[in-house]
Amino acid sequence: MISLRFFCLVIVASWISLPLVATDSRSASRLLRGELPPSDSNDAVISGYVKDSATGETLAGATVRVRTLSRGALTNSSGYYALHLPSGRSLTVEFSSYGYAPFITKITLNPAEERRLNITLAPSVVEGSEIMVETDRYKERQEPQVSRVKIRPAEIKNLPKAGEADLFRILQLLPGVQTSSEISSGLYIRGGSPDQNLILLDGSVLYNPSHFFGFFSTFNPDAIKDVELIKGGFPVEYGGRLSAVLSVTNRDGDMNQTKGSVSIGAISSRASFETPVGNGALSLFGRRTYIDVILKATGLQQSLTLPNYNFFDLNGKFTQILGANDRIAIAGYGGADNLDYSSDKAGSNIAINWGNQAGSAQWTHILGPDLFTKIYATGSRYYTNLTAGVGSEGFTWTNNIQDLSLYGNLEYLFKDEHKLKLGFQGSAYRFQFKVQSGSNPPSANIDLSPFYGALYLQDEWKTSERTAITGGVRVDGISAKSQIGIDPRISARYILNEDITLKASVGIYHQYLKLASNPNLSFFDIWLPVDSTQNASKALQYVVGVSTIPFSGYTLDVEAYYKDMSNLVEIRPNIISGNKLSDIFFVGSGRAYGIEFFLQKQVGDLTGWIGYTLAWTKRTFPDINNGEEYPPTYDRRNDVDVVLTYKLSDRWTIGSAFTYGTGQAYSQTVALYRALEPDAEGALVTVAGKRNALRLPPYNRMDLSATYSFSLFSDRRNAEFDIDLYNVYNHRNVWFRQVDASTNPATITDVKLLPILPTFSLSVNF
């Protein structure tokens, strides 16, 4: 692994020095062009940023199009585009993005001209506009990436909430995305467990993005600018996970005016502040629960002997435009859950706190109109601390993950035929896990500091107007294991006709981190790197799909997938000590396959989607279930989701969400007996049936919401009052089944989930 570290350092050094030796865009392009044919000297290129005119925020995924030439481009995640065009002709260029009025301009370019064209789009209310339907259709037809879903912040805000708007609850309503229960924020995507998802916030990895024992995610809805979920077949720039990628970008802040908002809800309150600073902006967002305050004020905490609990989030972002070619952004996040339970009885004190801290510094630099680079330096920490009991009889459990990473990529747009991307990643980890009872020696004491390195190369090649192929390879490894992962991946799209686009992908994925977890207690997650006793997990993914425009204003996506996975892990039961992976995990394999249907309407007063998933997920472990294949608990054969938002008037908006799914798989105790010893009654012994051989009743739930916009101490509508009904018809779904051995014979009872739950919130913008 020394050679791998050295290779990564060489790449980083060359990356930093590249802007110094490439004094202009053409020379920089020639540095990377290699054997590619030179571009036509008469061609010209336009490039720049597309931004929101009201706030100055850049717009990712905006469309730049010249209809007469059937040429176009999409802005990247930084809102930057480059488009090669012929010179000497009068051309009409159209800029558009969903929710914005299109901007159209006419230009005439000189031979070999490089024109910077930064564009601002004005926000608008979309009510069936034909041009927006055309924009969505063009974007969908041109996108080569399979399984990609974009979520807009408005979709998070307008849908029903369980006391708090939450990104993960919206994602769980998408086809192919499951959860273990309605009080869990874990995402089980296409047969993968939550640890197989790469979750990024402004480029930083979050290892446990959950609050309130998994009931909420750590993402503050007020802070979110852009959400991208790739459910499978993700490109080589992402690595270290098997199943999916969730990338969340927080708002840069308003570069034109100072503004803020306050939201007061039944469970928590939020506040935000944005202001221009220099040639950029500063944004701050905060959220805190006050369950503890309410319980103390009402006396319920003491009378019912309830624990003291709260959680909070803080987000901040500072952006600056340093010139025409350089931008920087510094982002930070901190969040924590704190629970404290104390009673007068000695040894009954319990304190648990867990949380995430993350930060990133991003530099984007334009080397030339067709050469764009981005470098990140990030840090992330996840921790869990548990103490129980008092004094010398106390029990402590501590877990720490630290991740310091440097990574970047360089995009080169060669005419309109090739989009090359070269990148690297280097991550220094530290994993700490310690379990100790009183003053006794620790029963578990792990402290590991491995290094992860990766290089990747990708080419998005438009072979014709109808066909595009994206191919790439990622090479990575970790110092804790003498194993190098080589992950080739390829995806393609073919435009069959104006309304039908075919897509497919195949790829190999490696994961070097393992997770020991309890699905009902997410704060007990323990991340560990692979070691000499176990190999990295591996997945081979296949995806095929079709995107259609069945009629105006609607899109229909159908995708089928198959995943073959090896070196998966399951935690061994009753672990009290261990210093290597083979002491902690069983090793097995798995497969997942299914088909998804996603009908979506994004234009008009009525918007939303209908999703249906038919899926199978299987696991095989030699040491579990007698080596026979079994379904994990999150295997769900059928899943139906209906999500609708309707704008009744310019003041009232209503939202609804309905979900139905096959019951969760579970293992049932089939017998109980006592192991008798001479002159004593032995312990109760349970005999379990086959692993997850039974199913709970089907799951179903409907939520409703209504939002009213009005003016509060202002001449504009600056406030919203939101009423939500969670589980509107009060169907108590079964959480799990438990055996009561105190009766004779033993009885089985259902432990049920939440009843109908009304909540409210008031939000004011200033």
Side-chain angles (χ1 to χ4, degrees):
M1 295 305 298
I2 295 177
S3 60
L4 179 61
R5 295 190 187 190
F6 179 76
F7 192 27
C8 290
L9 290 173
V10 171
I11 292 294
V12 173
S14 63
W15 210 282
I16 295 173
S17 63
L18 184 56
L20 303 178
V21 298
T23 56
D24 61 77
S25 66
R26 293 305 181 191
S27 60
S29 298
R30 283 193 293 270
L31 279 173
L32 298 177
R33 198 167 294 168
E35 298 301 320
L36 291 174
S39 33
D40 188 340
S41 60
N42 290 322
D43 272 0
V45 60
I46 60 172
S47 63
Y49 290 95
V50 178
K51 299 184 290 184
D52 183 316
S53 64
T55 65
E57 293 260 12
T58 57
L59 300 177
T63 301
V64 185
R65 187 179 184 188
V66 179
R67 292 175 181 265
T68 56
L69 299 178
S70 296
R71 289 193 187 183
L74 302 175
T75 58
N76 63 14
S77 59
S78 299
Y80 182 80
Y81 76 94
L83 182 61
H84 291 260
L85 295 171
S87 59
R89 297 174 54 180
S90 178
L91 301 173
T92 300
V93 185
E94 177 185 304
F95 298 82
S96 55
S97 183
Y98 183 86
Y100 293 84
F103 178 85
I104 299 175
T105 184
K106 289 188 176 182
I107 60 173
T108 301
L109 300 169
N110 297 320
E113 182 180 355
E114 300 173 351
R115 183 176 300 185
R116 182 67 58 86
L117 202 58
N118 294 324
I119 299 297
T120 59
L121 300 181
S124 67
V125 178
V126 181
E127 296 182 352
S129 171
E130 238 356 88
I131 187 68
M132 298 313 300
V133 176
E134 282 294 319
T135 297
D136 285 347
R137 176 182 300 188
Y138 177 82
K139 181 177 177 179
E140 178 62 35
R141 292 175 68 218
Q142 295 299 314
E143 178 62 68
Q145 176 64 50
V146 300
S147 307
R148 188 188 298 264
V149 180
K150 289 277 191 177
I151 300 292
R152 297 185 301 274
E155 292 175 308
I156 303 172
K157 181 183 70 171
N158 290 330
L159 289 178
K161 319 158 188 66
E164 179 80 19
D166 189 73
L167 170 62
F168 275 27
R169 299 202 175 279
I170 301 300
L171 297 176
Q172 290 166 4
L173 295 170
L174 295 172
V177 183
Q178 313 294 345
T179 182
S180 62
S181 73
E182 65 190 46
I183 60 172
S184 170
S185 64
L187 300 179
Y188 298 82
I189 299 177
R190 291 184 175 175
S193 52
D195 61 298
Q196 295 177 8
N197 306 321
L198 178 63
I199 299 178
L200 302 170
L201 176 62
D202 284 318
S204 298
V205 178
L206 294 185
Y207 287 91
N208 188 329
S210 66
H211 282 311
F212 204 4
F213 305 95
F215 195 70
F216 300 119
S217 71
T218 58
F219 298 104
N220 185 335
D222 292 339
I224 294 174
K225 169 186 174 180
D226 182 64
V227 178
E228 181 179 66
L229 173 67
I230 309 177
K231 296 185 291 183
F234 48 90
V236 294
E237 64 183 286
Y238 302 110
R241 299 294 189 274
L242 298 186
S243 288
V245 175
L246 175 65
S247 179
V248 179
T249 303
N250 277 344
R251 286 160 52 183
D252 297 332
D254 198 315
M255 299 185 183
N256 298 327
Q257 61 179 337
T258 299
K259 65 181 185 182
S261 68
V262 175
S263 177
I264 301 173
I267 294 177
S268 67
S269 290
R270 308 189 305 269
S272 69
F273 175 77
E274 303 174 46
T275 187
V277 176
N279 197 18
L282 172 68
S283 61
L284 299 171
F285 303 89
R287 175 174 62 165
R288 191 192 189 278
T289 57
Y290 33 71
I291 300 173
D292 54 336
V293 178
I294 294 174
L295 292 177
K296 285 181 180 178
T298 58
L300 291 174
Q301 183 176 356
Q302 184 175 3
S303 62
L304 299 178
T305 319
L306 297 175
N308 181 32
Y309 172 78
N310 68 78
F311 74 77
F312 72 89
D313 288 309
L314 293 173
N315 296 82
K317 198 168 185 179
F318 173 74
T319 59
Q320 283 292 296
I321 301 173
L322 302 181
N325 296 324
D326 293 279
R327 293 176 175 231
I328 61 169
I330 300 172
Y333 167 79
D337 290 64
N338 300 286
L339 182 145
D340 182 50
Y341 175 79
S342 301
S343 74
D344 296 333
K345 296 180 180 180
S348 304
N349 299 331
I350 298 175
I352 310 172
N353 59 83
W354 70 97
N356 293 274
Q357 289 135 17
S360 65
Q362 172 191 329
W363 171 43
T364 58
H365 178 68
I366 302 172
L367 286 165
D370 48 10
L371 201 57
F372 182 89
T373 186
K374 181 188 297 185
I375 293 179
Y376 279 99
T378 70
S380 180
R381 176 177 178 249
Y382 167 68
Y383 66 90
T384 302
N385 298 308
L386 165 67
T387 60
V390 293
S392 61
E393 301 301 321
F395 172 84
T396 61
W397 166 303
T398 60
N399 183 28
N400 253 305
I401 305 166
Q402 295 179 10
D403 175 350
L404 298 177
S405 297
L406 179 67
Y407 61 94
N409 61 59
L410 187 148
E411 297 179 19
Y412 169 53
L413 292 88
F414 177 69
K415 300 189 72 171
D416 293 319
E417 299 168 1
H418 293 273
K419 181 179 179 181
L420 297 176
K421 184 174 286 189
L422 170 69
F424 71 91
Q425 177 183 346
S427 299
Y429 298 115
R430 186 175 185 185
F431 300 87
Q432 295 173 295
F433 176 57
K434 185 177 181 180
V435 179
Q436 188 169 13
S437 177
S439 58
N440 297 320
S443 59
N445 192 3
I446 297 174
D447 193 335
L448 302 172
S449 299
F451 177 86
Y452 170 84
L455 299 171
Y456 61 86
L457 176 65
Q458 176 179 288
D459 181 21
E460 183 180 318
W461 178 26
K462 293 184 179 179
T463 61
S464 68
E465 188 62 31
R466 291 178 177 268
T467 306
I469 300 173
T470 300
V473 63
R474 183 183 183 94
V475 180
D476 59 5
I478 194 167
S479 61
K481 177 73 174 180
S482 57
Q483 176 186 6
I484 298 296
I486 300 178
D487 297 352
R489 303 171 195 172
I490 187 169
S491 62
R493 68 109 169 101
Y494 177 74
I495 301 175
L496 189 63
N497 57 42
E498 184 177 348
D499 294 324
I500 301 177
T501 300
L502 306 177
K503 296 182 180 182
S505 77
V506 61
I508 295 175
Y509 303 82
H510 281 87
Q511 181 165 330
Y512 298 88
L513 304 182
K514 311 275 187 170
L515 176 66
S517 67
N518 183 325
N520 297 319
L521 298 171
S522 62
F523 55 88
F524 282 138
D525 286 355
I526 305 170
W527 289 85
L528 295 171
V530 297
D531 62 14
S532 59
T533 66
Q534 291 184 358
N535 291 324
S537 301
K538 181 180 178 181
L540 177 60
Q541 290 192 27
Y542 304 90
V543 182
V544 295
V546 56
S547 299
T548 69
I549 311 290
F551 29 86
S552 179
Y554 291 81
T555 61
L556 174 63
D557 293 277
V558 181
E559 286 194 352
Y561 65 90
Y562 182 88
K563 286 197 293 189
D564 185 64
M565 297 167 281
S566 59
N567 296 317
L568 302 180
V569 296
E570 286 279 356
I571 191 169
R572 292 176 179 268
N574 304 318
I575 293 296
I576 59 173
S577 64
N579 54 20
K580 55 185 183 296
L581 284 189
S582 58
D583 295 332
I584 300 172
F585 296 112
F586 292 131
V587 178
S589 60
R591 56 194 180 106
Y593 52 94
I595 186 168
E596 302 166 0
F597 300 84
F598 188 43
L599 177 66
Q600 191 173 20
K601 185 178 187 292
Q602 294 182 325
V603 179
D605 291 333
L606 178 66
T607 59
W609 66 79
I610 299 175
Y612 171 68
T613 305
L614 176 64
W616 289 262
T617 302
K618 305 291 184 180
R619 295 289 185 268
T620 304
F621 283 74
D623 298 294
I624 300 175
N625 202 44
N626 295 320
E628 297 179 13
E629 189 176 60
Y630 65 90
T633 56
Y634 48 87
D635 172 62
R636 182 174 291 179
R637 192 72 61 248
N638 298 281
D639 184 73
V640 180
D641 297 294
V642 182
V643 178
L644 298 174
T645 302
Y646 184 65
K647 190 174 180 61
L648 283 172
S649 66
D650 59 349
R651 289 182 179 270
W652 282 99
T653 301
I654 59 175
S656 66
F658 171 79
T659 183
Y660 172 89
T662 301
Q664 180 174 291
Y666 75 100
S667 304
Q668 181 63 63
T669 297
V670 295
L672 297 167
Y673 68 91
R674 293 194 180 275
L676 298 180
E677 298 177 1
D679 302 324
E681 186 177 2
L684 186 67
V685 177
T686 62
V687 180
K690 286 191 174 183
R691 179 81 166 227
N692 294 337
L694 300 179
R695 295 274 177 177
L696 296 176
Y699 181 94
N700 64 93
R701 191 187 82 242
M702 175 178 280
D703 307 329
L704 295 175
S705 69
T707 303
Y708 178 70
S709 301
F710 61 100
S711 301
L712 186 65
F713 307 115
S714 174
D715 56 358
R716 62 185 179 90
R717 289 180 190 165
N718 66 330
E720 289 184 344
F721 182 71
D722 186 272
I723 303 173
D724 290 270
L725 285 176
Y726 181 85
N727 194 6
V728 67
Y729 51 79
N730 198 33
H731 176 67
R732 300 291 300 276
N733 290 288
V734 178
W735 186 11
F736 60 88
R737 283 180 169 153
Q738 64 180 7
V739 177
D740 184 358
S742 64
T743 62
N744 189 13
T747 57
I748 299 175
T749 57
D750 290 342
V751 178
K752 296 189 176 182
L753 288 161
L754 299 175
I756 184 172
L757 180 66
T759 60
F760 67 90
S761 64
L762 173 65
S763 302
V764 181
N765 299 314
F766 59 88

